[in-house]
Every structure is written in C-alpha cells, then in structure tokens.
Coordinates of all heavy atoms in Angstrom, one line a residue:
M1 N 0.8 -1.2 0.0 CA 0.0 0.0 0.0 C 0.9 1.2 0.0 O 0.5 2.2 -0.7 CB -0.9 0.0 1.3 CG -2.0 -1.0 1.3 SD -3.2 -0.8 -0.1 CE -4.1 -2.3 0.1
K2 N 2.0 1.2 0.8 CA 2.8 2.4 0.9 C 3.4 2.7 -0.5 O 3.4 3.8 -1.0 CB 4.0 2.1 1.8 CG 4.7 3.4 2.2 CD 5.7 3.0 3.4 CE 6.2 4.2 4.1 NZ 6.9 3.9 5.3
N3 N 3.9 1.7 -1.2 CA 4.5 1.9 -2.5 C 3.4 2.4 -3.6 O 3.7 3.3 -4.4 CB 5.1 0.6 -3.1 CG 6.3 0.3 -2.4 OD1 7.0 1.0 -1.8 ND2 6.7 -1.1 -2.5
L4 N 2.2 1.9 -3.4 CA 1.1 2.3 -4.3 C 0.7 3.7 -4.1 O 0.4 4.5 -5.1 CB -0.1 1.4 -4.1 CG 0.0 0.0 -4.7 CD1 -1.3 -0.8 -4.3 CD2 0.1 0.0 -6.2
F5 N 0.5 4.1 -2.8 CA -0.3 5.3 -2.5 C 0.4 6.4 -1.7 O -0.2 7.5 -1.5 CB -1.6 4.9 -1.9 CG -2.5 4.1 -2.7 CD1 -2.8 2.8 -2.3 CD2 -2.9 4.5 -4.0 CE1 -3.7 2.0 -3.0 CE2 -3.7 3.7 -4.7 CZ -4.1 2.4 -4.3
I6 N 1.6 6.2 -1.2 CA 2.2 7.2 -0.2 C 2.3 8.6 -0.8 O 2.0 9.5 -0.1 CB 3.5 6.7 0.3 CG1 3.9 7.6 1.5 CG2 4.6 6.6 -0.7 CD1 3.1 7.5 2.7
H7 N 2.6 8.7 -2.2 CA 2.7 10.0 -2.7 C 1.4 10.7 -2.8 O 1.3 12.0 -2.5 CB 3.3 9.9 -4.2 CG 2.5 9.1 -5.2 ND1 2.2 7.8 -5.0 CD2 1.8 9.5 -6.2 CE1 1.5 7.4 -6.0 NE2 1.2 8.4 -6.8
R8 N 0.3 10.0 -3.0 CA -1.1 10.6 -3.0 C -1.5 10.9 -1.6 O -2.1 11.9 -1.3 CB -2.0 9.7 -3.8 CG -1.7 9.6 -5.3 CD -2.6 8.6 -5.9 NE -4.0 8.9 -5.8 CZ -4.8 9.5 -6.7 NH1 -4.2 9.9 -7.8 NH2 -6.0 9.8 -6.5
D9 N -1.3 9.9 -0.7 CA -1.7 10.0 0.7 C -1.0 11.3 1.3 O -1.6 12.0 2.1 CB -1.4 8.8 1.5 CG -2.2 7.6 1.0 OD1 -3.3 7.8 0.5 OD2 -1.8 6.5 1.2
S10 N 0.3 11.5 1.0 CA 1.0 12.6 1.5 C 0.4 13.9 1.1 O 0.3 14.8 1.9 CB 2.5 12.5 1.1 OG 3.1 11.4 1.6
Q11 N -0.1 14.0 -0.1 CA -0.7 15.2 -0.6 C -2.0 15.4 0.1 O -2.4 16.6 0.4 CB -0.9 15.2 -2.1 CG 0.4 15.2 -2.9 CD 0.2 15.0 -4.4 OE1 -0.8 14.5 -4.9 NE2 1.2 15.6 -5.1
R12 N -2.8 14.4 0.3 CA -4.1 14.5 1.0 C -4.0 14.8 2.4 O -4.8 15.5 2.9 CB -4.9 13.1 0.8 CG -6.3 13.2 1.3 CD -7.0 11.8 1.2 NE -6.8 11.2 -0.1 CZ -6.0 10.3 -0.5 NH1 -5.2 9.8 0.5 NH2 -5.9 9.8 -1.6
G13 N -3.0 14.2 3.1 CA -2.7 14.5 4.5 C -3.5 13.6 5.4 O -4.4 12.8 5.0
V14 N -3.2 13.7 6.7 CA -3.7 12.8 7.7 C -5.2 13.0 7.8 O -6.0 12.0 7.8 CB -3.0 13.0 9.1 CG1 -3.8 12.3 10.2 CG2 -1.6 12.6 9.0
K15 N -5.7 14.3 8.0 CA -7.1 14.5 8.2 C -8.0 14.0 7.0 O -9.0 13.3 7.2 CB -7.3 16.0 8.4 CG -8.7 16.3 8.9 CD -8.9 17.8 9.2 CE -10.1 18.2 9.8 NZ -11.3 18.0 9.0
G16 N -7.5 14.3 5.8 CA -8.3 13.9 4.6 C -8.3 12.4 4.5 O -9.3 11.8 4.2
T17 N -7.2 11.7 4.8 CA -7.1 10.3 4.7 C -8.0 9.6 5.8 O -8.7 8.7 5.5 CB -5.6 9.9 4.8 OG1 -4.9 10.5 3.8 CG2 -5.5 8.3 4.7
Y18 N -8.0 10.2 7.0 CA -8.8 9.7 8.0 C -10.3 9.8 7.7 O -11.1 8.9 7.9 CB -8.6 10.4 9.3 CG -9.6 10.2 10.4 CD1 -9.5 8.9 11.2 CD2 -10.6 11.1 10.7 CE1 -10.4 8.7 12.1 CE2 -11.6 10.7 11.7 CZ -11.5 9.6 12.4 OH -12.4 9.3 13.4
E19 N -10.7 10.9 7.0 CA -12.1 11.1 6.6 C -12.5 10.0 5.6 O -13.6 9.5 5.6 CB -12.3 12.5 6.1 CG -12.3 13.5 7.2 CD -12.3 15.0 6.8 OE1 -12.1 15.2 5.5 OE2 -12.3 15.9 7.6
W20 N -11.6 9.7 4.6 CA -11.8 8.6 3.7 C -12.0 7.3 4.4 O -12.9 6.5 4.1 CB -10.7 8.5 2.7 CG -10.9 9.4 1.5 CD1 -10.3 10.6 1.2 CD2 -11.7 9.1 0.4 NE1 -10.7 11.0 0.0 CE2 -11.6 10.2 -0.6 CE3 -12.5 8.0 0.0 CZ2 -12.3 10.2 -1.8 CZ3 -13.2 8.1 -1.2 CH2 -13.1 9.1 -2.1
L21 N -11.2 7.0 5.4 CA -11.3 5.8 6.2 C -12.7 5.7 6.8 O -13.3 4.7 6.7 CB -10.2 5.7 7.2 CG -10.3 4.6 8.2 CD1 -10.3 3.2 7.6 CD2 -9.2 4.7 9.3
V22 N -13.1 6.8 7.4 CA -14.4 6.8 8.1 C -15.5 6.6 7.1 O -16.4 5.8 7.3 CB -14.6 8.2 8.9 CG1 -16.1 8.3 9.3 CG2 -13.7 8.3 10.0
D23 N -15.4 7.2 5.9 CA -16.5 6.9 4.9 C -16.4 5.5 4.4 O -17.5 4.9 4.2 CB -16.1 7.8 3.6 CG -16.5 9.3 3.9 OD1 -17.3 9.5 4.9 OD2 -16.1 10.2 3.1
E24 N -15.3 4.9 4.3 CA -15.2 3.5 3.9 C -15.8 2.6 5.0 O -16.4 1.5 4.7 CB -13.8 3.1 3.5 CG -13.3 3.8 2.3 CD -14.1 3.3 1.0 OE1 -14.7 2.4 1.0 OE2 -14.0 4.1 0.0
V25 N -15.6 2.9 6.3 CA -16.1 2.1 7.3 C -17.7 2.1 7.3 O -18.4 1.2 7.4 CB -15.6 2.5 8.7 CG1 -16.4 1.9 9.8 CG2 -14.1 2.3 8.8
K26 N -18.2 3.3 6.9 CA -19.6 3.4 6.8 C -20.1 2.5 5.6 O -21.2 1.9 5.8 CB -20.0 4.9 6.5 CG -19.9 5.8 7.8 CD -20.1 7.3 7.4 CE -19.8 8.2 8.6 NZ -19.8 9.6 8.2
E27 N -19.4 2.6 4.5 CA -19.8 1.8 3.4 C -19.7 0.3 3.7 O -20.5 -0.5 3.3 CB -18.9 2.1 2.2 CG -19.2 3.4 1.6 CD -18.3 3.8 0.4 OE1 -17.7 2.8 -0.2 OE2 -18.2 4.9 0.0
L28 N -18.7 -0.1 4.6 CA -18.7 -1.5 5.0 C -19.9 -1.8 5.8 O -20.5 -2.9 5.7 CB -17.4 -1.8 5.8 CG -17.3 -3.1 6.5 CD1 -17.3 -4.2 5.5 CD2 -16.0 -3.2 7.3
G29 N -20.3 -0.9 6.7 CA -21.5 -1.1 7.5 C -22.7 -1.4 6.7 O -23.6 -2.2 6.9
E30 N -22.9 -0.6 5.6 CA -24.0 -0.7 4.6 C -23.9 -2.1 3.9 O -24.9 -2.8 3.7 CB -24.0 0.4 3.6 CG -24.3 1.8 4.2 CD -24.0 2.9 3.3 OE1 -23.6 2.7 2.1 OE2 -24.0 4.1 3.8
A31 N -22.6 -2.5 3.5 CA -22.5 -3.7 2.8 C -22.9 -4.9 3.8 O -23.4 -5.9 3.3 CB -21.1 -3.9 2.3
L32 N -22.6 -4.8 5.0 CA -22.9 -5.8 6.0 C -24.4 -6.0 6.1 O -24.9 -7.1 6.5 CB -22.3 -5.5 7.4 CG -20.8 -5.5 7.5 CD1 -20.3 -5.0 8.9 CD2 -20.2 -6.9 7.2
E33 N -25.2 -5.0 5.9 CA -26.6 -5.2 5.9 C -27.2 -5.9 4.7 O -28.3 -6.4 4.7 CB -27.2 -3.8 6.0 CG -26.9 -3.1 7.4 CD -27.5 -1.7 7.4 OE1 -28.1 -1.3 6.5 OE2 -27.3 -1.1 8.5
G34 N -26.4 -6.0 3.6 CA -26.8 -6.7 2.5 C -26.4 -8.1 2.4 O -26.0 -8.6 3.5
S35 N -26.6 -8.8 1.3 CA -26.2 -10.2 1.2 C -25.2 -10.5 0.0 O -25.0 -11.6 -0.3 CB -27.5 -11.1 1.0 OG -28.1 -10.6 -0.1
D36 N -24.6 -9.4 -0.4 CA -23.6 -9.5 -1.6 C -22.2 -9.7 -1.0 O -21.6 -8.8 -0.6 CB -23.7 -8.2 -2.4 CG -22.9 -8.3 -3.7 OD1 -22.0 -9.2 -3.7 OD2 -23.1 -7.6 -4.6
K37 N -21.8 -11.0 -1.0 CA -20.5 -11.3 -0.5 C -19.4 -10.6 -1.1 O -18.4 -10.1 -0.6 CB -20.3 -12.9 -0.6 CG -19.0 -13.4 -0.2 CD -18.9 -13.7 1.3 CE -17.6 -14.4 1.6 NZ -17.4 -14.7 3.0
E38 N -19.4 -10.5 -2.5 CA -18.4 -9.8 -3.2 C -18.3 -8.4 -2.9 O -17.2 -7.9 -2.7 CB -18.7 -10.0 -4.7 CG -17.5 -9.6 -5.6 CD -17.8 -10.0 -7.1 OE1 -18.3 -11.1 -7.4 OE2 -17.6 -9.0 -7.9
S39 N -19.4 -7.7 -2.7 CA -19.4 -6.3 -2.3 C -18.9 -6.1 -0.9 O -18.1 -5.2 -0.6 CB -20.9 -5.8 -2.4 OG -21.0 -4.5 -1.9
T40 N -19.3 -7.0 0.0 CA -18.8 -6.9 1.4 C -17.3 -7.1 1.4 O -16.5 -6.4 2.1 CB -19.4 -8.1 2.2 OG1 -20.9 -7.9 2.1 CG2 -19.0 -7.9 3.7
E41 N -16.7 -8.1 0.6 CA -15.3 -8.3 0.6 C -14.6 -7.1 0.0 O -13.5 -6.7 0.6 CB -15.0 -9.5 -0.3 CG -15.2 -10.8 0.3 CD -14.8 -12.1 -0.6 OE1 -14.4 -11.8 -1.7 OE2 -15.0 -13.2 -0.1
S42 N -15.1 -6.4 -1.0 CA -14.6 -5.2 -1.5 C -14.5 -4.1 -0.5 O -13.5 -3.4 -0.5 CB -15.5 -4.8 -2.8 OG -15.0 -3.6 -3.3
E43 N -15.6 -4.0 0.3 CA -15.6 -2.9 1.3 C -14.6 -3.2 2.4 O -13.9 -2.3 2.9 CB -17.0 -2.7 1.9 CG -18.0 -2.2 0.9 CD -17.6 -0.9 0.3 OE1 -16.8 -0.1 0.9 OE2 -18.1 -0.7 -0.9
F44 N -14.4 -4.5 2.8 CA -13.3 -4.9 3.8 C -12.0 -4.4 3.1 O -11.1 -3.9 3.9 CB -13.3 -6.4 4.0 CG -14.2 -6.8 5.2 CD1 -15.4 -7.4 5.0 CD2 -13.8 -6.5 6.5 CE1 -16.2 -7.8 6.1 CE2 -14.5 -6.9 7.6 CZ -15.8 -7.5 7.3
A45 N -11.7 -4.7 1.9 CA -10.5 -4.4 1.2 C -10.3 -2.8 1.2 O -9.1 -2.4 1.5 CB -10.5 -4.9 -0.1
D46 N -11.3 -2.1 1.0 CA -11.2 -0.7 1.0 C -10.9 -0.1 2.4 O -10.0 0.8 2.6 CB -12.5 0.0 0.6 CG -12.7 -0.1 -0.9 OD1 -11.8 -0.4 -1.6 OD2 -13.9 0.1 -1.4
V47 N -11.5 -0.6 3.4 CA -11.2 -0.2 4.8 C -9.8 -0.6 5.1 O -9.0 0.3 5.7 CB -12.2 -0.9 5.8 CG1 -11.7 -0.7 7.2 CG2 -13.6 -0.4 5.7
F48 N -9.3 -1.7 4.8 CA -7.9 -2.1 5.0 C -6.9 -1.2 4.3 O -6.0 -0.8 4.9 CB -7.7 -3.6 4.6 CG -6.3 -4.0 4.9 CD1 -5.9 -4.5 6.2 CD2 -5.3 -4.1 3.9 CE1 -4.7 -4.9 6.5 CE2 -4.1 -4.5 4.1 CZ -3.7 -4.9 5.5
A49 N -7.3 -0.9 3.0 CA -6.4 0.0 2.3 C -6.3 1.4 2.9 O -5.2 1.9 3.1 CB -6.9 0.1 0.8
W50 N -7.4 2.0 3.4 CA -7.4 3.3 3.9 C -6.8 3.3 5.3 O -6.0 4.2 5.7 CB -8.8 3.9 3.9 CG -9.2 4.4 2.6 CD1 -10.0 3.8 1.7 CD2 -8.7 5.5 1.9 NE1 -10.1 4.5 0.5 CE2 -9.3 5.6 0.6 CE3 -7.9 6.6 2.2 CZ2 -9.0 6.6 -0.3 CZ3 -7.6 7.6 1.3 CH2 -8.2 7.6 0.0
L51 N -7.0 2.2 6.0 CA -6.3 2.1 7.3 C -4.8 2.0 7.2 O -4.0 2.7 7.9 CB -6.8 0.9 8.1 CG -6.3 0.6 9.5 CD1 -6.6 1.8 10.4 CD2 -6.8 -0.7 10.1
S52 N -4.4 1.2 6.2 CA -3.0 1.2 5.8 C -2.4 2.5 5.4 O -1.3 2.8 5.8 CB -2.7 0.1 4.7 OG -3.2 -1.1 5.1
S53 N -3.1 3.2 4.6 CA -2.7 4.5 4.2 C -2.4 5.5 5.3 O -1.4 6.2 5.4 CB -3.7 5.2 3.2 OG -3.5 4.5 1.9
L54 N -3.5 5.4 6.3 CA -3.4 6.4 7.4 C -2.2 5.9 8.3 O -1.4 6.8 8.8 CB -4.7 6.3 8.2 CG -4.8 7.3 9.3 CD1 -4.7 8.7 8.8 CD2 -6.2 7.1 10.0
A55 N -2.0 4.6 8.5 CA -0.8 4.2 9.3 C 0.5 4.6 8.6 O 1.4 5.0 9.3 CB -0.9 2.6 9.4
N56 N 0.6 4.5 7.3 CA 1.8 4.9 6.6 C 2.1 6.4 6.8 O 3.2 6.8 7.0 CB 1.7 4.5 5.1 CG 1.7 3.1 4.9 OD1 2.3 2.3 5.6 ND2 1.1 2.6 3.8
L57 N 1.0 7.2 6.7 CA 1.2 8.6 6.9 C 1.7 9.0 8.3 O 2.5 9.9 8.5 CB -0.1 9.4 6.6 CG -0.5 9.6 5.2 CD1 -1.8 10.3 5.2 CD2 0.6 10.4 4.5
M58 N 1.3 8.1 9.3 CA 1.7 8.4 10.7 C 2.9 7.6 11.0 O 3.4 7.5 12.2 CB 0.5 7.9 11.6 CG -0.7 8.8 11.5 SD -0.4 10.5 11.7 CE 0.1 10.5 13.5
D59 N 3.6 7.0 10.0 CA 4.8 6.2 10.2 C 4.5 5.1 11.2 O 5.4 4.8 12.1 CB 6.0 7.1 10.7 CG 7.3 6.4 10.3 OD1 7.3 5.5 9.4 OD2 8.3 6.7 11.0
V60 N 3.4 4.5 11.2 CA 3.0 3.3 12.0 C 3.1 2.1 11.2 O 2.5 2.0 10.2 CB 1.6 3.5 12.6 CG1 1.1 2.2 13.2 CG2 1.5 4.7 13.5
D61 N 3.8 1.0 11.7 CA 3.9 -0.3 11.1 C 2.6 -1.0 11.6 O 2.6 -1.4 12.8 CB 5.2 -0.9 11.6 CG 5.3 -2.3 10.9 OD1 4.3 -3.0 10.6 OD2 6.5 -2.7 10.6
L62 N 1.7 -1.1 10.7 CA 0.3 -1.7 11.2 C 0.5 -3.1 11.7 O -0.1 -3.5 12.7 CB -0.6 -1.6 10.0 CG -2.1 -1.7 10.2 CD1 -2.6 -0.8 11.3 CD2 -2.9 -1.5 8.9
E63 N 1.2 -3.9 10.9 CA 1.4 -5.3 11.4 C 2.1 -5.3 12.7 O 1.7 -6.1 13.6 CB 2.2 -6.1 10.3 CG 2.4 -7.5 10.7 CD 3.2 -8.3 9.6 OE1 3.9 -7.7 8.8 OE2 3.2 -9.5 9.7
K64 N 3.1 -4.6 12.9 CA 3.9 -4.6 14.2 C 3.0 -4.1 15.3 O 2.9 -4.6 16.4 CB 5.1 -3.6 14.1 CG 6.0 -3.6 15.3 CD 7.2 -2.7 15.1 CE 7.7 -2.1 16.3 NZ 8.5 -0.9 16.1
A65 N 2.2 -3.0 15.1 CA 1.3 -2.5 16.1 C 0.2 -3.5 16.5 O 0.0 -3.7 17.7 CB 0.6 -1.2 15.5
A66 N -0.3 -4.2 15.5 CA -1.3 -5.2 15.8 C -0.8 -6.4 16.6 O -1.4 -6.8 17.5 CB -1.9 -5.7 14.4
L67 N 0.5 -6.9 16.2 CA 1.0 -8.0 16.9 C 1.5 -7.5 18.3 O 1.6 -8.4 19.2 CB 2.2 -8.6 16.1 CG 1.6 -9.4 14.8 CD1 2.8 -9.8 14.0 CD2 0.8 -10.5 15.3
N68 N 2.0 -6.3 18.4 CA 2.3 -5.9 19.8 C 1.1 -5.8 20.7 O 1.3 -6.2 21.9 CB 2.9 -4.4 19.7 CG 4.4 -4.4 19.2 OD1 5.0 -5.4 19.4 ND2 4.9 -3.2 18.9
K69 N 0.0 -5.5 20.2 CA -1.2 -5.4 21.1 C -1.9 -6.7 21.2 O -2.5 -7.0 22.3 CB -2.1 -4.3 20.6 CG -3.3 -4.1 21.5 CD -4.0 -2.8 21.4 CE -5.0 -2.6 22.4 NZ -5.7 -1.3 22.3
Y70 N -1.9 -7.5 20.1 CA -2.6 -8.7 20.1 C -1.6 -9.9 19.7 O -1.7 -10.4 18.6 CB -3.8 -8.7 19.1 CG -4.8 -7.6 19.4 CD1 -4.7 -6.4 18.8 CD2 -5.7 -7.7 20.4 CE1 -5.6 -5.3 19.1 CE2 -6.6 -6.7 20.8 CZ -6.5 -5.6 20.1 OH -7.4 -4.5 20.4
P71 N -0.7 -10.2 20.6 CA 0.3 -11.2 20.3 C -0.2 -12.7 20.3 O 0.3 -13.5 21.2 CB 1.4 -10.9 21.3 CG 0.7 -10.5 22.5 CD -0.5 -9.7 21.9
Y72 N -1.2 -13.0 19.5 CA -1.8 -14.3 19.5 C -2.4 -14.7 20.7 O -2.6 -15.8 21.0 CB -0.8 -15.4 19.0 CG -0.1 -15.0 17.7 CD1 1.2 -14.5 17.7 CD2 -0.8 -15.2 16.5 CE1 1.8 -14.1 16.4 CE2 -0.2 -14.8 15.3 CZ 1.1 -14.3 15.3 OH 1.6 -13.9 14.1
K73 N -2.7 -13.7 21.6 CA -3.5 -13.9 22.8 C -4.2 -12.6 23.2 O -3.8 -11.5 22.7 CB -2.6 -14.4 24.0 CG -1.6 -13.4 24.4 CD -0.7 -13.9 25.5 CE 0.3 -12.8 25.8 NZ 1.3 -13.3 26.9
C74 N -5.3 -12.8 23.9 CA -6.1 -11.6 24.3 C -5.3 -10.7 25.2 O -4.7 -11.2 26.2 CB -7.3 -12.1 25.0 SG -8.3 -10.7 25.7
P75 N -5.2 -9.3 25.0 CA -4.4 -8.5 25.8 C -5.0 -8.3 27.2 O -4.3 -7.9 28.1 CB -4.5 -7.1 25.0 CG -5.6 -7.2 24.2 CD -5.8 -8.7 23.8
K76 N -6.3 -8.7 27.4 CA -6.9 -8.5 28.7 C -6.8 -9.8 29.5 O -6.3 -9.8 30.7 CB -8.4 -8.2 28.6 CG -8.6 -6.8 28.0 CD -10.1 -6.4 28.0 CE -10.3 -5.0 27.5 NZ -11.7 -4.7 27.3
C77 N -7.2 -11.0 29.0 CA -7.2 -12.2 29.8 C -6.0 -13.1 29.5 O -5.8 -14.1 30.1 CB -8.5 -13.0 29.5 SG -8.7 -13.6 27.9
S78 N -5.2 -12.7 28.5 CA -4.0 -13.5 28.1 C -4.3 -14.8 27.6 O -3.4 -15.7 27.6 CB -3.0 -13.5 29.2 OG -2.5 -12.2 29.4
C79 N -5.6 -15.1 27.2 CA -5.9 -16.4 26.7 C -6.1 -16.4 25.2 O -6.4 -15.4 24.6 CB -7.2 -16.9 27.3 SG -7.0 -17.1 29.1
S80 N -6.0 -17.6 24.6 CA -6.2 -17.8 23.2 C -6.9 -19.2 23.1 O -6.3 -20.2 23.3 CB -5.0 -17.8 22.4 OG -5.3 -18.1 21.0
P81 N -8.2 -19.2 22.7 CA -9.1 -18.0 22.5 C -9.4 -17.3 23.7 O -9.3 -17.7 24.8 CB -10.3 -18.6 21.8 CG -10.4 -20.0 22.3 CD -9.0 -20.4 22.5
C82 N -9.8 -16.0 23.5 CA -10.2 -15.1 24.6 C -11.3 -15.7 25.4 O -12.3 -16.3 24.9 CB -10.7 -13.8 23.9 SG -11.5 -12.6 25.1
K83 N -11.2 -15.5 26.7 CA -12.2 -16.0 27.6 C -12.9 -14.8 28.4 O -13.5 -15.1 29.4 CB -11.5 -16.9 28.7 CG -11.0 -18.2 28.0 CD -10.4 -19.1 29.0 CE -9.9 -20.4 28.3 NZ -9.1 -21.3 29.2
C84 N -12.6 -13.6 27.9 CA -13.3 -12.5 28.6 C -14.8 -12.6 28.4 O -15.3 -13.0 27.4 CB -12.9 -11.2 27.9 SG -11.1 -10.7 28.2
P85 N -15.6 -12.1 29.4 CA -17.0 -12.1 29.3 C -17.4 -11.1 28.2 O -16.8 -10.1 28.0 CB -17.5 -11.6 30.7 CG -16.4 -10.9 31.3 CD -15.1 -11.5 30.7
L86 N -18.5 -11.5 27.5 CA -19.1 -10.6 26.5 C -19.6 -9.3 27.1 O -20.2 -9.4 28.2 CB -20.2 -11.3 25.7 CG -19.7 -12.4 24.8 CD1 -20.9 -13.1 24.2 CD2 -18.8 -11.9 23.7
N87 N -19.4 -8.2 26.5 CA -20.1 -7.0 27.1 C -21.0 -6.3 26.0 O -21.2 -6.7 25.0 CB -19.0 -6.0 27.6 CG -17.9 -5.8 26.6 OD1 -17.7 -6.5 25.6 ND2 -17.0 -4.9 26.9
Ligands
LIG101 ZN1 -9.8 -12.0 26.7

C-alpha cells in the first residue's frame, strides 16, 4: 500500500485520509446489511487500504502495532481463544 499510494496520501494529508477511512467504514456497514458477499469483501479491502494509508502517513507499522497489542492472545485475559465475558 505504501508503494502504491504514499505519494497521493502525503498530498491528501492525515485529516483527509482519516475522513476517507471513516467513509469506507460506513460503506462497510452498509454492505454488512446486504447479502452480496463480493461487495462486502470489496468494502473490507477498502477499509484495510485506507487504514494502511493512514498508518503509513503516521509512520505506524500496522502489522507490528497489531502484533504488539494482540500477540496471538487476548491483551486482557492473556488467553487464546479469549475468555473475557461478552459486554
Ligand atoms: Zn480476553
């Protein structure tokens, strides 16, 4: 994603890229209400792409950040699978 879009994301900036991410999350929410698997997958991909773009702009390694917080076990109960009560 960085190689593909960093030049455009840099021009758009953090705020504009964040706003795109929010819009894509809304579109994912709409897709989840439907039954079109292909459309839902496409929206997941868009959310991932915009989240990646935002992380790149903030110089955040998304994979590293995710694995630091969720190292194959729940950060709250330290279990895998998680045994925390549903809330
Ligand atoms: Zn847990």
